[in-house]
Amino acid sequence: MIAFFILAYTIVMILIGVYAARKVKNSEDYVLAGRSLPFYMALSTVFATWFGSESILGAGSKFAEGGFSNVIEDPFGAGLCLIIAGLFFNRKLYRLRFLTIGDYFKSRYNTLIATFLSGVIIVSYFGWVAAQFLALGVVLHSIMPMLSIQAWVIISALVVSVYTVLGGMISVALHDTVQSVIIIVGLVAVLIAVLPLVGGLSGFVAQMPEGYFNPLPTEHSFLTWAVFITALMTQGFGSIPQQDIYQRAMSARNEKESMWASVIGGLLYFSIVMIPIVIGGIAAIIYPQILASDSQLLIPTIIHEHTGPILQILFFGALISAILSTASGALLAPATLLSENIIKPFFINMSDRLRMTIIQVGVAVIALGAIVLAYNPDAHIYEL
């Protein structure tokens, strides 16, 4: 039943990509959806920026190990990043009408600096995309073990690459809108099902170890506060100049909606990530032996043991949707930088058609590099 759902879901995702391809007329359509996304779609695609495998499987297990102090980078830092970008950067960047964040660096500094910084940003995406492919491989292998994890990694990469190549940012935005609904519905349904296992929300709070809900350092020394601020700001500030955040926010139809899509998207992201965090905490209460051995198995175990087929479909639908929505945008972003800020400076004139073709080839190149990283039998999602 779950396998049939996944097959049907995959076909729908590809059909959406084919539909999106019909709306692409030029490179701005392909990269920024023609700056035409209505607010609900801009909000969905910004929300989907960070919501990947680590948001559902990683955040829950990390919270179960040590409370909020273990998840400062994500969701606290990740949500803060989107809010800061919205409040202080999006409106000004939107007015400049650049295609990439690298174009801003070129305008502010020079071509050499823009090329160098774009190269640094591109390299950072290989591991990020590989982590999503590997997570898809692990999830699909657990559902359909007839193929190896590595085989599912390749199949997953092909599916995501195909619909991203077909429709660009329009495809990404349409998928994110559908997938965001599935994520929220699936996670809320699972939370409602497992909360009674610990006596409801009040029972959950009462059974968690003391201090688990305090994100601030308990020891007030310079070192502990420095570590806390560093953890918060690494993603909170460090991820602001990333192409996927820029690309998703700049796809809104005006600067006001771009700003609010990021601000509300950051708040929504932070709120929804609390659901897998609570589910991970509930699983830790029920399965302390799993918490002691491998916390990453907490959420899959509670889903397997305490939910029926319908809820399992909703959960795996939410998980796969989260990974796909992150992976597609993370493929398109570095491919755009590769075309616009690494290759384009070598051309005196580059046609719009050639620019789009290079971006599409770039998607394939990034996907191939990510497959190589994810295909390693020793690869680990968190490390990637």
Side-chain angles (χ1 to χ4, degrees):
M1 188 175 180
I2 298 177
F4 173 78
F5 164 79
I6 291 172
L7 178 62
Y9 186 70
T10 301
I11 293 172
V12 170
M13 293 300 103
I14 293 175
L15 290 176
I16 290 175
V18 172
Y19 170 77
R22 299 172 59 186
K23 295 182 171 293
V24 175
K25 303 292 187 268
N26 53 49
S27 57
E28 187 172 69
D29 287 345
Y30 194 78
V31 174
L32 298 177
R35 296 179 185 269
S36 62
L37 295 185
F39 179 74
Y40 74 93
M41 289 184 70
L43 174 62
S44 297
T45 196
V46 170
F47 162 73
T49 305
W50 298 128
F51 214 104
S53 57
E54 65 291 332
S55 303
I56 295 179
L57 299 178
S61 62
K62 286 292 180 182
F63 171 80
E65 290 174 2
F68 278 155
S69 62
N70 250 23
V71 291
I72 297 300
E73 297 95 330
D74 186 7
F76 290 96
L80 182 64
C81 169
L82 297 176
I83 294 169
I84 292 174
L87 290 176
F88 298 104
F89 293 95
N90 284 10
R91 296 183 78 135
K92 294 180 180 180
L93 287 171
Y94 196 96
R95 293 168 197 161
L96 297 175
R97 312 292 293 186
F98 292 138
L99 203 63
T100 70
I101 193 70
D103 290 344
Y104 168 76
F105 294 137
K106 179 180 177 180
S107 172
R108 179 65 179 83
Y109 302 104
N110 54 54
T111 300
L112 179 63
I113 292 296
T115 302
F116 171 74
L117 291 178
S118 297
V120 171
I121 294 171
I122 289 169
V123 170
S124 75
Y125 278 97
F126 282 98
W128 176 239
V129 176
Q132 308 311 313
F133 288 167
L134 181 56
L136 278 171
V138 170
V139 171
L140 292 174
H141 175 71
S142 70
I143 299 169
M144 295 174 282
M146 70 286 293
L147 294 178
S148 67
I149 291 175
Q150 286 74 24
W152 282 120
V153 164
I154 295 174
I155 293 170
S156 301
L158 286 173
V159 171
V160 178
S161 299
V162 164
Y163 74 67
T164 304
V165 165
L166 284 173
M169 194 61 204
I170 295 176
S171 176
V172 171
L174 286 171
H175 283 98
D176 287 347
T177 302
V178 174
Q179 289 159 350
S180 294
V181 173
I182 295 173
I183 289 167
I184 294 172
V185 171
L187 290 178
V188 168
V190 170
L191 179 63
I192 292 171
V194 300
L195 260 179
L197 298 174
V198 290
L201 189 59
S202 59
F204 164 70
V205 173
Q207 293 179 64
M208 293 306 294
E210 185 179 354
Y212 257 50
F213 298 105
N214 179 19
L216 300 176
T218 54
E219 180 187 339
H220 299 297
S221 67
F222 173 79
L223 180 61
T224 55
W225 276 98
V227 170
F228 169 79
I229 293 171
T230 300
L232 188 64
M233 292 297 99
T234 296
Q235 196 156 340
F237 281 173
S239 291
I240 290 173
Q242 278 286 18
Q243 175 63 16
D244 56 339
I245 292 177
Y246 175 88
Q247 208 158 323
R248 291 170 187 267
M250 295 304 113
S251 298
R253 59 189 171 189
N254 59 58
E255 64 180 61
K256 183 178 179 181
E257 291 189 2
S258 174
M259 177 191 78
W260 285 112
S262 281
V263 173
I264 298 175
L267 294 171
L268 182 64
Y269 173 79
F270 179 80
S271 302
I272 301 302
V273 175
M274 289 298 118
I275 298 177
I277 281 178
V278 172
I279 295 172
I282 293 170
I285 294 170
I286 298 172
Y287 301 108
Q289 72 280 9
I290 296 178
L291 176 62
S293 58
D294 187 354
S295 63
Q296 293 184 106
L297 298 176
L298 284 169
I299 292 180
T301 300
I302 197 172
I303 296 299
H304 178 72
E305 297 293 335
H306 295 279
T307 61
I310 300 300
L311 279 179
Q312 288 180 22
I313 287 175
L314 287 173
F315 171 76
F316 283 112
L319 179 56
I320 292 171
S321 295
I323 300 170
L324 289 175
S325 62
T326 297
S328 57
L331 275 175
L332 184 62
T336 306
L337 284 173
L338 181 66
S339 169
E340 185 72 7
N341 301 109
I342 303 294
I343 296 176
K344 184 182 174 184
F346 292 98
F347 287 77
I348 296 175
N349 291 302
M350 178 184 284
S351 68
D352 198 65
R353 179 66 255 177
L354 178 59
R355 176 189 289 179
M356 284 179 57
T357 301
I358 294 173
I359 295 172
Q360 290 170 327
V361 172
V363 169
V365 170
I366 301 300
L368 182 61
I371 288 172
V372 172
L373 290 176
Y375 200 81
N376 183 347
D378 297 324
H380 190 280
I381 296 169
Y382 183 79
E383 292 174 356
L384 287 172

